């Protein structure tokens, strides 16, 4: 309970580096999210042959726990608690609980959120992470230019060409600073 309080209590906004870390964690959760969604939808399809009943119950419970984790993180970022909108299934038998969970609109909002999070959430997290890492890479380009082949010609942003250590400095550093400035401005909004 104390951990949840710390994650959802009003406080100052997270720092940009904390948001960077959360973006990296979201990218790391992409594969488990795909697996959860695929297995959940498969188990719901298997309900008519009964093997899907216990599988769907377990996976719906796992989906709720997984998305409650997302809600705690959203509460942490927003500085306000995000409520858990589920109907109670306490004291119900297995079939009644499954029917209640499947009729609950919150369940289908969770499934829809998972689809959106897998596409848009991953793209936005990758954009945030990519801007910072590209900025660092461009700024430090002159330090590792020596490792590239002698005839290397690198195009930054498609039209700025780097072909020597000197051009890595006078082209790479400003472009890197631009990327980091864009990341600094955009990261709280992504």
């Amino acid at each position: 309970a104390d951990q949840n309080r710390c994650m959802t209590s009003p406080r100052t906004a997270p720092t940009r580096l904390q948001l960077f870390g959360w973006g990296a964690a979201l990218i790391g959760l992409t594969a488990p999210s795909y697996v959860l969604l695929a297995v959940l939808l498969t188990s719901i399809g298997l309900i008519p042959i009964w093997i899907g009943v216990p599988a769907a119950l377990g996976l719906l419970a796992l989906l709720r726990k997984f998305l409650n984790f997302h809600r705690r993180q959203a509460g942490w970022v927003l500085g306000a608690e995000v409520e858990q909108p589920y109907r109670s299934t306490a004291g119900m038998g297995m079939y009644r609980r499954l029917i209640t969970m499947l009729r609950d609109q919150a369940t289908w909002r969770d499934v829809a959120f998972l689809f959106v999070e897998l596409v848009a959430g991953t793209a936005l997290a990758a954009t945030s992470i990519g801007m910072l890492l590209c900025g660092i890479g461009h700024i430090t380009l002159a330090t590792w230019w020596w490792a590239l082949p002698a005839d290397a010609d690198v195009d930054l942003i498609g039209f700025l060409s780097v072909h020597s250590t000197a051009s890595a400095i006078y082209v790479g550093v400003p472009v890197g600073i631009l990327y980091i400035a864009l990341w600094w401005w955009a990261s709280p909004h992504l």
Side-chain angles (χ1 to χ4, degrees):
D2 189 49
Q3 179 187 10
N4 291 343
R5 185 188 61 74
C6 292
M7 296 297 284
T8 59
S9 63
R11 63 176 197 87
T12 59
T15 66
R16 285 169 173 80
L17 289 178
Q18 287 173 323
L19 292 173
F20 177 84
W22 177 234
L26 279 177
I27 290 174
L29 289 172
T30 301
S33 296
Y34 274 114
V35 170
L36 175 62
L37 185 62
V39 175
L40 172 66
L41 294 177
T42 301
S43 71
I44 290 171
L46 292 175
I47 287 174
I49 59 171
W50 300 104
I51 192 169
V53 173
L57 271 174
L59 289 163
L60 285 169
L62 181 61
L63 174 72
R64 288 179 175 197
K65 289 207 179 288
F66 184 68
L67 292 180
N68 283 338
F69 169 73
H70 276 280
R71 285 184 185 92
R72 282 195 310 275
Q73 290 301 104
W76 172 68
V77 169
L78 298 171
E81 188 169 339
V82 179
E83 66 180 61
Q84 300 173 11
Y86 303 117
R87 287 185 197 167
S88 175
T89 58
M92 294 182 183
M94 181 169 61
Y95 301 112
R96 187 77 183 138
R97 190 172 24 177
L98 178 63
I99 290 168
T100 301
M101 290 172 92
L102 289 175
R103 287 186 177 169
D104 190 355
Q105 290 181 355
T107 299
W108 299 106
R109 278 193 300 264
D110 285 351
V111 171
F113 169 79
L114 206 51
F115 274 110
V116 172
E117 186 265 333
L118 285 170
V119 178
T122 303
L124 291 172
T127 300
S128 177
I129 290 170
M131 280 193 294
L132 179 61
L133 294 180
C134 283
I136 293 169
H138 284 75
I139 288 171
T140 62
L141 180 60
T143 63
W144 49 271
W145 182 261
W146 60 270
L148 296 176
D151 60 345
D153 189 17
V154 177
D155 285 329
L156 305 182
I157 315 179
F159 62 87
L160 297 173
S161 182
V162 175
H163 46 77
S164 67
T165 303
S167 63
I169 292 171
Y170 68 79
V171 173
V173 171
V175 170
I177 290 171
L178 176 66
Y179 272 121
I180 291 177
L182 282 172
W183 170 80
W184 185 264
W185 173 79
S187 65
H189 309 291
L190 295 176

